[in-house]
Amino acid sequence: MQGFELGLFATTNTFRLYNFKPEVTPFLVFVDSLKNNATLQTIGFARNQLTEDICAGVLQRIYFNQVLRTVDLNSNNVTSTKFRSEYIKPYFSSKADLNI
């Protein structure tokens, strides 16, 4: 988190954190540090045992990152149809270029 906040990863365009079961609060604080990154185009949090609520929290925090194009939440505890209809469609319908 400090690396992103201090600008050590200022030119990073892809960040993936897979197969890691993070504690919820520190994880969401970490995601907050990614939301203003001007070069980050892909964020991956697949296979981290995240729930729908945590995934929704991730999406809410990174929503305003204009550079971001792909968020990988595959293989988490998410019901795809419900998640798309209740979280993605209402909030991300205006961002057609974002892949979730």
Side-chain angles (χ1 to χ4, degrees):
M1 183 169 75
Q2 282 184 324
F4 280 100
E5 289 177 349
L6 295 174
L8 298 176
F9 303 109
T11 60
T12 301
N13 61 14
T14 301
F15 177 78
R16 296 181 189 275
L17 180 66
Y18 290 172
N19 296 315
F20 182 74
K21 186 180 181 204
E23 293 292 326
V24 175
T25 302
F27 175 68
L28 292 177
V29 170
F30 170 69
V31 173
D32 277 333
S33 72
L34 303 177
K35 68 182 174 185
N36 294 321
N37 187 298
T39 60
L40 202 55
Q41 296 178 8
T42 300
I43 297 175
F45 296 122
R47 299 184 302 272
N48 288 325
Q49 299 178 12
L50 304 177
T51 65
E52 289 180 356
D53 290 336
I54 297 169
C55 290
V58 167
L59 295 177
Q60 288 173 340
R61 283 164 173 75
I62 59 172
Y63 179 79
F64 292 105
N65 184 326
Q66 296 300 313
V67 180
L68 192 61
R69 297 293 171 250
T70 303
V71 180
D72 182 3
L73 298 171
N74 288 318
S75 300
N76 283 298
N77 299 324
V78 176
T79 306
S80 182
T81 305
K82 179 182 175 189
F83 193 73
R84 287 194 180 278
S85 66
E86 293 184 13
Y87 295 105
I88 296 174
K89 187 176 180 182
Y91 299 104
F92 290 90
S93 59
S94 63
K95 290 186 82 169
D97 58 342
L98 182 64
N99 299 313
I100 300 175

